Amino acid sequence: MNKDPFKEYLRESEPDKVNKGYAWSTAIGLQAVDGLKPSQYLIDTAIQNIEGKITIKEAQNLIDNYYEERPVHLSDDERTEEADKVSSRIAQILSETAFSFSPNEYISIHRKLFQGIYKHAGKIRDYNITKKEWALDGATVLYGSASELKATLEYDFSQEKDFSYKGLSMEEIIHHLAVFVSRLWQIHIFGEGNTRTTAVFFIKYLRTLGFSATNDIFAENAWYFRNALVRANYTNLQKGIHETTEYLEVFLRNFLLNEKNELHNRNLHISGLWNDEKVDIEETKVDIETEKVDIGNVLAEKGQDFSAKTTVHIHRLSEKFGYDKIFGRSAVMELLELKASGASKLISNLVEADVIEAVSGYGKGKYRFKK
């Protein structure tokens, strides 16, 4: 599962599908900066929204309800829940046109993304932080001092607001944008979720400058983006290392100008050496193209009008079992993470709708999809 999850939609000729595909692709890809991976349920729900079967608000409600119904919340589940909920919220924000270039907007985006997930959502941190960075071989960037965060943030915004891009070459524009976003990120006014918030804000800001790139650069290179921010804010004269925006500028050239420069995380490591034991987050992307099935045609032929949630369940079941494999209630519970009562009700509805049929010879309560 190495491909961009929404590449098919980014190739669509319909503008609405392209924009939705880009929003979801970017939203899901950005989870990689914190080592998170959304669930298959989130992917399936995103498909429903892109294809116009449900609204973005309905998609968010499905995700919220999905986690309210889950009987157990383990630590891994909580991280997946964060990835799913934040992905849907990023997709919504990127789908909106409203935006104001201000510190309050920046803080507001963090609150919208992480409300109910972090207690400090939308709050400026009041403690100093360090982070061991892979790109720096375990060293940390010097982040903004807690006592100066608000003043520093307001200063950077005022400087950017007063800056004029008039008469600049594209090379100069991209360099300036790289400096601005790297400084904004380095302040690190939030305890967690700083990179995702900065990326969303930056994309919205770029639109106000006339850039409308709807490609898969953030989706496929979110980890590179973060490492480039790290390298833009680290200096170690003893080791001959200087902060540089060169990596960010290459990223932005691909993003804004559709150039095809190679983006490899190994190039950002300060040692210049790649440790093969390290896991490159770029290898963990989900391929949505392989998840698409033809069950929608089957439902249309049978004249069924299921809810969006049930339709997603049917997609997942049909992809897993196809027409030939036999399954029972326990398999449905495990795949869809439903309680016994929920799985039984779903099976009953699908049998009644003539979508699946009971089969004999495999024990009691076994079913398969009808051809």
Side-chain angles (χ1 to χ4, degrees):
M1 297 194 296
N2 299 329
K3 299 177 184 177
D4 184 330
F6 297 95
K7 191 174 290 292
E8 175 180 335
Y9 295 107
L10 298 183
R11 291 195 299 260
E12 285 276 357
S13 58
E14 298 177 41
D16 189 47
K17 284 189 177 182
V18 171
N19 291 331
K20 287 180 181 177
Y22 166 71
W24 280 107
S25 177
T26 301
I28 291 173
L30 282 174
Q31 304 315 306
V33 300
D34 285 313
L36 304 183
K37 183 179 178 182
S39 70
Q40 185 59 47
Y41 184 79
L42 184 278
I43 300 291
D44 293 335
T45 304
I47 294 174
Q48 298 292 304
N49 172 244
I50 294 171
E51 295 184 345
K53 296 177 180 177
I54 58 175
T55 65
I56 186 66
K57 198 64 184 173
E58 289 171 334
Q60 288 182 323
N61 289 337
L62 285 174
I63 296 299
D64 290 342
N65 292 337
Y66 174 68
Y67 284 101
E68 287 175 6
E69 294 172 3
R70 287 167 65 87
V72 179
H73 288 275
L74 303 174
S75 58
D76 287 345
D77 295 329
E78 290 171 358
R79 295 295 280 166
T80 303
E81 179 177 354
E82 176 184 338
D84 285 0
K85 289 184 175 180
V86 175
S87 290
S88 68
R89 295 169 185 179
I90 290 177
Q92 179 179 18
I93 292 174
L94 292 181
S95 298
E96 299 170 345
T97 56
F99 177 78
S100 63
F101 182 79
S102 68
N104 285 341
E105 178 82 4
Y106 185 51
I107 295 170
S108 173
I109 288 176
H110 187 270
R111 182 173 59 252
K112 290 175 182 176
L113 294 186
F114 300 106
Q115 199 160 29
I117 298 173
Y118 298 153
K119 291 182 180 179
H120 57 272
K123 296 180 181 178
I124 298 177
R125 64 178 168 87
D126 56 4
Y127 53 91
N128 291 328
I129 61 171
T130 60
K131 289 176 178 283
K132 292 183 178 180
E133 300 291 349
W134 166 81
L136 305 181
D137 219 11
T140 183
V141 168
L142 295 180
Y143 297 107
S145 172
S147 61
E148 302 293 331
L149 293 179
K150 189 173 182 181
T152 305
L153 184 69
E154 290 177 347
Y155 174 79
D156 277 14
F157 268 86
S158 66
Q159 290 291 103
E160 178 64 15
K161 214 163 194 176
D162 293 339
F163 184 80
S164 174
Y165 288 88
K166 187 176 181 180
L168 296 184
S169 67
M170 188 55 65
E171 191 96 9
E172 293 168 326
I173 289 172
I174 285 178
H175 173 71
H176 178 81
L177 288 170
V179 171
F180 166 69
V181 72
S182 65
R183 286 177 177 170
L184 179 62
W185 177 84
Q186 184 269 338
I187 299 171
H188 212 298
I189 70 167
F190 309 112
E192 296 291 341
N194 189 73
T195 303
R196 283 175 282 178
T197 302
T198 301
V200 173
F201 179 87
F202 188 48
I203 292 169
K204 299 278 285 185
Y205 177 47
L206 289 172
R207 290 177 181 174
T208 69
L209 299 178
F211 296 106
S212 57
T214 53
N215 51 40
D216 53 8
I217 303 303
F218 269 100
E220 295 191 348
N221 300 282
W223 189 239
Y224 180 98
F225 175 68
R226 190 187 187 285
N227 284 331
L229 290 167
V230 168
R231 288 301 308 272
N233 289 284
Y234 181 74
T235 295
N236 188 323
L237 297 181
Q238 217 172 16
K239 295 183 178 180
I241 301 168
H242 302 268
E243 62 180 37
T244 175
T245 60
E246 63 178 300
Y247 304 111
L248 266 178
E249 290 177 42
V250 172
F251 177 91
L252 289 176
R253 294 189 73 86
N254 284 10
F255 180 54
L256 302 177
L257 306 180
N258 284 315
E259 292 186 2
K260 305 298 180 184
N261 302 295
E262 292 188 355
L263 305 178
H264 297 301
N265 281 292
R266 60 178 176 268
N267 296 335
L268 278 72
H269 196 281
I270 57 172
S271 70
L273 300 176
W274 176 251
N275 183 349
D276 290 334
E277 294 180 0
K278 302 273 185 187
V279 176
D280 190 342
I281 200 71
E282 291 175 353
E283 297 299 318
T284 65
K285 291 182 287 296
V286 181
D287 182 7
I288 204 171
E289 293 181 33
T290 62
E291 305 299 332
K292 295 202 70 179
V293 296
D294 294 328
I295 195 67
N297 294 332
V298 176
L299 300 183
E301 290 171 4
K302 294 180 180 296
Q304 298 300 329
D305 186 18
F306 291 108
S307 68
K309 186 174 183 179
T310 299
T311 301
V312 169
H313 285 332
I314 296 172
H315 270 271
R316 295 191 67 190
L317 288 171
S318 63
E319 179 67 16
K320 174 72 173 178
F321 302 112
Y323 288 113
D324 300 319
K325 292 182 181 179
I326 309 300
F327 59 91
R329 186 179 70 171
S330 60
V332 174
M333 291 171 62
E334 181 179 356
L335 178 64
L336 303 180
E337 297 175 312
L338 296 174
K339 295 180 181 179
S341 58
S344 295
K345 183 178 180 181
L346 176 63
I347 289 172
S348 177
N349 288 343
L350 297 185
V351 170
E352 185 178 347
D354 206 30
V355 174
I356 64 175
E357 60 184 351
V359 295
S360 57
Y362 296 90
K364 186 178 179 180
K366 300 299 180 182
Y367 306 87
R368 68 182 167 205
F369 277 90
K370 296 189 70 172
K371 291 186 179 179

